[in-house]
Amino acid sequence: MTDSSDPIADYVRRAEQDVRRVPGLPEGLQARVLKKAAVIGAGTMGAGISTSLVNAGLSVTLIDVDEAAVARGIAAIERNLDSAVKRGNATPEEAKERRALVTTATDTKQVAGAEIVIEAVFENLALKQQIFADLSRHAGPDTILASNTSTLDLEKIVAAAVRPERSIGLHFFSPAHVMKLVEIVRGRGTSPETIAACRDLIQRMRKIGVVVGVGFGFVGNKMLLDGYFREVEVLLLEGATPTQIDQAMLGYGFAMGPCAVSDMSGVDVPALIRKELFQHETRPFPYLLVTEALAARGRNGVKAAKGFYRYEAGDRTPHADADVLAICESLAHENGIARQVPSDAEIVERCMLQVINLGIALLDDGLAARPSDIDAIWLNGYGFPRARGGPMHYADELGLAFVLERIEGYRARYGAAWTPAPLLRRLVAEGSSLANLN
Ligand SMILES: NC(=O)c1ccc[n+]([C@@H]2O[C@H](COP(=O)([O-])OP(=O)(O)OC[C@H]3O[C@@H](n4cnc5c(N)ncnc54)[C@H](O)[C@@H]3O)[C@@H](O)[C@H]2O)c1
């Protein structure tokens, strides 16, 4: 492919192609072409994933606990297909053919015959283990068993399956029939053949599949929660408002600000993640503290007409809410945080440096194979501005020595949450760049 006159667009295109080069996957490995799928759980994600599967021409058996749940899933798939027709992405005939590819069942035994089963039931470890144990009995010996978990330990889920080499994580993003990104989560036992078949499937869905390792939040959500959202919470306690933070990040080029994103996807989701996480791990203060306080008051976002913002009935336009500012102020007071409203430029810098530092740490941990994979993840799953190439590319543009110096500066002010990733120090000492690791 010839390079255009836009180096960042060229970089992004290469990054999105390079996700196909997976360490440990033999070059000419012939991917098995999957044609028959089953999806367990006909909720938000199950319906979206099923839509993507039929769009790629697979047949789907959609399974849930009872007829009512299955019917809700089917209605959602039909709505998705209708809107594809309205947008000109499918003809009415194509939509009809795709709808005909879906059959339903209320018993996991009906997975027999599927070449891949994607589990999208509630985010509960015991339940997912039960499903994987059932699948080990009822699915064929060659069937790939995939989990769509977004936060649970994949190793613990697949430990319940008898064939780890055929088990894998496929982390779709919501809405699953729209969002391009899928993190392909490689467990300790996942075979190259299983990865190759899933990679091929995701490509046929016209999505971007990035292979990542197992760890809290995989790659994208680890950087989001431990980096971006944690910093947003510090900023809120210091007196920045959701409006100021969101406007600053829109100014940087994000499609949406972090507070509006939380409200849209549901404030209860990260609040629950915090609760689960803190049962066995800790994070530097104030990890999702404001989020927790909002969720505790039923401020779960757009669906509750209040979250970081308030909303009018039937309208998604965010309005500033003095109650939220009061909640932040009282949390700051309780925790002895000095109020010192940061500038917009500082908001952007602190959020982006946190995202960058965590991304570099993930490279060291081997959860991400290369910097450009991280960029492909943030561009396709998190609304990162394409014109900036992704957080790793942006770090190189800033210059790693400058990045390190700024992080050290914030460490002097804020402590351990700003500890530079060891790989960042090494690259600076060598005078190298992240691009050199691609
Ligand atoms: N919603 C998101 O934004 C999002 C994004 C990425 C990943 N995920 C993950 O996807 C999974 C599903 O999330 P969701 O938002 O679609 O949940 P949901 O509540 O909308 O749907 C879950 C469905 O699973 C069904 N179910 C429960 N037990 C079952 C069983 N034993 N057999 C068959 N079906 C059963 C429920 O009846 C329900 O229809 C979770 O693991 C979640 O963490 C969600």
Side-chain angles (χ1 to χ4, degrees):
M1 193 169 300
T2 54
D3 283 359
S4 70
S5 58
D6 181 349
I8 295 192
D10 290 336
Y11 169 80
V12 168
R13 198 171 47 241
R14 266 196 301 276
E16 291 176 346
Q17 282 167 357
D18 282 351
V19 299
R20 290 187 55 78
R21 292 196 291 117
V22 178
L25 226 60
E27 268 290 321
L29 182 65
Q30 196 65 37
R32 180 176 159 209
V33 180
L34 306 168
K35 298 198 186 78
K36 287 185 186 169
V39 173
I40 312 217
T44 311
M45 294 307 286
I49 293 167
S50 299
T51 307
S52 297
L53 287 165
V54 296
N55 284 345
L58 281 86
S59 66
V60 176
T61 307
L62 181 62
I63 302 174
D64 207 306
V65 286
D66 54 32
E67 292 296 345
V70 166
R72 276 194 298 275
I74 290 290
I77 294 170
E78 287 175 349
R79 275 196 305 276
N80 296 342
L81 292 172
D82 278 351
S83 81
V85 172
K86 285 199 189 95
R87 293 201 179 132
N89 293 334
T91 64
E93 294 70 38
E94 281 166 342
K96 215 169 142 198
E97 281 163 26
R98 292 175 197 179
R99 168 65 187 86
L101 289 169
V102 189
T103 51
T104 61
T106 53
D107 186 337
T108 358
K109 286 198 184 89
Q110 301 302 321
V111 297
E115 293 160 308
I116 181 168
V117 183
I118 304 176
E119 161 285 300
V121 301
F122 301 133
E123 188 76 342
N124 175 295
L125 181 61
L127 175 62
K128 289 188 191 277
Q129 286 175 325
Q130 178 61 51
I131 300 274
F132 265 69
D134 285 351
L135 292 178
S136 297
R137 273 197 303 281
H138 304 308
D142 288 337
T143 303
I144 294 173
L145 307 182
S147 172
N148 179 47
T149 183
S150 40
T151 55
L152 297 172
D153 185 341
L154 182 75
E155 298 296 357
K156 288 190 185 147
I157 297 174
V158 307
V162 289
R163 284 181 293 275
E165 67 280 5
R166 300 238 180 277
S167 302
I168 195 164
L170 292 180
H171 182 212
F172 287 82
F173 287 68
S174 185
H177 61 293
V178 175
M179 295 295 287
K180 286 248 170 207
L181 178 66
V182 183
E183 285 181 316
I184 303 176
V185 189
R186 171 190 225 159
R188 267 196 300 276
T190 310
S191 71
E193 289 75 14
T194 299
I195 295 173
C198 289
R199 187 180 60 172
D200 174 76
L201 172 63
I202 288 162
Q203 203 182 14
R204 282 190 283 141
M205 290 175 170
R206 298 177 192 281
K207 293 188 187 291
I208 302 217
V210 185
V211 176
V212 299
V214 178
F216 170 77
F218 310 122
V219 169
N221 281 349
K222 166 85 179 172
M223 293 165 70
L224 181 82
L225 296 171
D226 289 9
Y228 194 11
F229 281 9
R230 202 201 76 87
E231 198 55 30
V232 166
E233 298 254 336
V234 182
L235 293 162
L236 288 166
L237 295 185
E238 288 176 350
T241 64
T243 309
Q244 188 195 0
I245 295 170
D246 281 359
Q247 287 300 328
M249 299 318 292
L250 290 176
Y252 178 76
F254 269 91
M256 271 177 94
C259 299
V261 165
S262 264
D263 273 359
M264 206 176 72
S265 57
V267 177
D268 48 327
V269 180
L272 197 65
I273 292 174
R274 179 188 198 272
K275 190 170 158 221
E276 296 275 325
L277 183 70
F278 277 34
Q279 285 176 16
H280 40 88
E281 279 181 53
T282 56
R283 288 291 188 276
F285 178 86
Y287 196 75
L288 301 174
L289 191 70
V290 176
T291 296
E292 184 193 44
L294 294 178
R297 288 165 177 76
R299 302 193 65 108
N300 286 331
V302 176
K303 63 189 169 193
K306 55 182 184 178
F308 282 90
Y309 297 96
R310 61 175 186 79
Y311 300 85
E312 309 286 347
D315 184 13
R316 291 161 164 256
T317 315
H319 299 280
D321 188 337
D323 289 353
V324 175
L325 308 189
I327 291 168
C328 294
E329 191 167 354
S330 103
L331 283 172
H333 186 71
E334 271 167 40
N335 291 284
I337 306 293
R339 305 281 275 178
Q340 40 174 8
V341 182
S343 68
D344 289 5
E346 183 177 321
I347 289 173
V348 171
E349 178 174 67
R350 282 166 54 185
C351 290
M352 284 302 92
L353 288 178
Q354 280 286 354
V355 167
I356 289 167
N357 196 40
L358 278 162
I360 297 176
L362 287 171
L363 290 167
D364 234 356
D365 296 345
L367 259 80
R370 60 181 80 84
S372 62
D373 278 8
I374 295 180
D375 287 339
I377 287 173
W378 273 73
L379 291 168
N380 292 288
Y382 297 88
F384 196 93
R386 290 184 93 75
R388 295 194 186 267
M392 299 294 98
H393 187 271
Y394 179 60
D396 272 349
E397 298 258 296
L398 290 175
L400 294 187
F402 175 78
V403 167
L404 178 59
E405 183 197 311
R406 299 299 294 168
I407 290 177
E408 291 283 20
Y410 285 120
R411 177 150 87 146
R413 202 161 120 196
Y414 290 105
W418 284 90
T419 306
L423 175 62
L424 173 60
R425 283 194 190 290
R426 291 202 302 278
L427 290 170
V428 172
E430 292 161 9
S432 187
S433 68
L434 287 161
N436 285 338
L437 303 178
N438 279 330

